[in-house]
Amino acid sequence: MQSWSSARDALAPLLEKYAQVEDGKDGALYPFWALVKDDLWTVDSVHDLALTSRGRRPTLESLNRVDPSGGLREDDYALLRSQPHVAAEAAAGLLLRYFYPLPAGLLEDFGLHDLLAGRWADALRPQLGEAFKDRDAIWRAYGGQKMAGIGCVADGILSAFSDGKGPYADGRLPDTGWIAYVGDGLSGDQRITDGNELMAEYQSAGRPLRYWHKPFQGQFSFETWAVIVQRRLRWGVGEDGKWRREFLWILAPIPSPERESWPDDVLEALEADTGTLHDDTANYRPGDLDPEERDTTETDEDAYKRLAQAAEAIPR
């Protein structure tokens, strides 16, 4: 347990440096109290504190006056002290989720350099190559959600799941080996909601995600870390058998969340990516792939000219 005043004075410069908080001593109130709500942090003398008008948190004046002590729950504290690898896993997950890309000097300022031995990403779990019978087994080991194709395990880091027997036509791009991952939504035109919204956020931030793959009659494995280098909209067939517009997220595999390890072609693709949606549904139609959907008012010659013009317009 540490007093509020000591926690406040330790947090203040970190908040000002890494969270752009104008007054770190005032700002320290929020993380100090938020962990209580999450049942991760205990504070004594709570009944002596005056709360704000909505009762969400104590007033800064009462915290400074009472100066209560706060700290991790005793069992959690004992776990982290006795098993440094658990502390390293927790710290690395928080760094990737909230402090990415990693600012220079952060590990030293947070007192984490020795714990993470200079390679913070190695402490993350699950590890590359870990395999599980099914999604339920992944959930039992690492928590989070266990159904959606796009979602997070318990550490809050995004995962994209691809099942070779599933309803989505995921695949690999020729030559590059990059992953063409179909977005969230089984039927009807897909929207930037739910899993697609999370993917868009990761694309915008250039943040690494976990890619899991289950080949036909195989097991789910954490196959690779990946970053989203492009988002396209194409025609596809939904679970209801009807044509619809679906997102295609282009994932580039990377060896680690540490940017220094990423191949040059991935860095170049990220640099070129403006976050623009490449809409392939305007120039191509379901009838170009499915004879039953052909527009009978368009001649074969006109269809050929339209497709040729569309192909010529693709940047090289």
Side-chain angles (χ1 to χ4, degrees):
M1 301 287 280
Q2 299 289 325
S3 68
W4 151 251
S5 57
S6 63
R8 176 197 63 204
D9 293 346
L11 281 170
L14 298 175
L15 288 167
E16 292 171 4
K17 182 175 181 179
Y18 294 107
Q20 292 75 54
V21 173
E22 186 173 343
D23 188 329
K25 288 191 174 183
D26 287 353
L29 180 156
Y30 296 95
F32 185 83
W33 193 252
L35 292 173
V36 175
K37 297 289 188 179
D38 291 336
D39 199 28
L40 293 171
W41 192 259
T42 60
V43 175
D44 62 16
S45 306
V46 169
H47 298 298
D48 297 328
L49 297 172
L51 301 181
T52 59
S53 59
R54 295 188 179 182
R56 293 179 178 175
R57 61 185 67 89
T59 64
L60 185 62
E61 185 278 331
S62 71
L63 271 176
N64 290 333
R65 172 175 51 81
V66 177
D67 198 19
S69 292
L72 291 170
R73 299 190 328 177
E74 188 172 355
D75 53 346
D76 291 336
Y77 178 81
L79 172 66
L80 298 180
R81 289 286 291 181
S82 63
Q83 301 189 41
H85 70 278
V86 176
E89 178 185 346
L94 291 169
L95 291 175
L96 180 54
R97 188 173 178 185
Y98 295 111
F99 296 95
Y100 191 85
L102 199 63
L106 183 143
L107 293 180
E108 290 77 7
D109 287 349
F110 279 35
L112 293 173
H113 186 271
D114 290 342
L115 176 68
L116 297 178
R119 288 188 57 81
W120 60 272
D122 290 346
L124 292 165
R125 297 293 183 276
Q127 292 183 312
L128 281 172
E130 284 195 49
F132 298 86
K133 177 183 177 182
D134 51 29
R135 291 289 301 279
D136 184 70
I138 299 173
W139 173 77
R140 290 180 183 279
Y142 291 109
Q145 60 80 30
K146 62 175 179 177
M147 295 296 293
I150 303 171
C152 301
V153 293
D155 63 7
I157 298 168
L158 190 63
S159 284
F161 295 89
S162 178
D163 187 341
K165 194 180 178 181
Y168 297 104
D170 304 324
R172 294 272 181 168
L173 300 181
D175 301 325
T176 66
W178 291 0
I179 300 158
Y181 186 81
V182 179
D184 191 13
L186 290 171
S187 299
D189 290 347
Q190 293 184 349
R191 309 291 182 187
I192 296 296
T193 59
D194 302 324
N196 292 325
E197 186 173 14
L198 293 173
M199 295 288 274
E201 291 173 1
Y202 268 62
Q203 180 188 16
S204 177
R207 189 182 303 274
L209 56 87
R210 295 182 176 106
Y211 173 74
W212 299 74
H213 181 235
K214 181 180 183 294
F216 180 64
Q217 294 184 334
Q219 292 186 320
F220 264 113
S221 67
F222 172 23
E223 186 171 295
T224 184
W225 287 98
V227 286
I228 301 169
V229 296
Q230 197 177 98
R231 182 196 336 170
R232 309 194 73 88
L233 192 67
R234 71 171 187 183
W235 290 106
V237 179
E239 191 178 43
D240 57 3
K242 297 180 180 178
W243 286 91
R244 49 80 176 273
R245 293 174 175 86
E246 62 186 20
F247 292 112
L248 198 66
W249 303 93
I250 307 302
L251 311 181
I254 50 177
S256 158
E258 293 182 286
R259 196 178 180 93
E260 295 78 9
S261 69
W262 299 358
D264 289 340
D265 60 339
V266 174
L267 294 173
E268 291 169 3
L270 285 172
E271 184 68 24
D273 179 35
T274 62
T276 302
L277 172 64
H278 301 270
D279 188 352
D280 298 323
T281 65
N283 295 322
Y284 300 89
R285 306 169 185 174
D288 297 329
L289 299 173
D290 185 351
E292 295 184 3
E293 297 290 329
R294 282 293 302 272
D295 180 0
T296 57
T297 64
E298 184 182 43
T299 66
D300 290 344
E301 182 179 0
D302 288 341
Y304 175 81
K305 290 180 179 179
R306 173 174 55 79
L307 293 171
Q309 290 173 353
E312 291 173 359
I314 297 175
R316 287 172 169 77

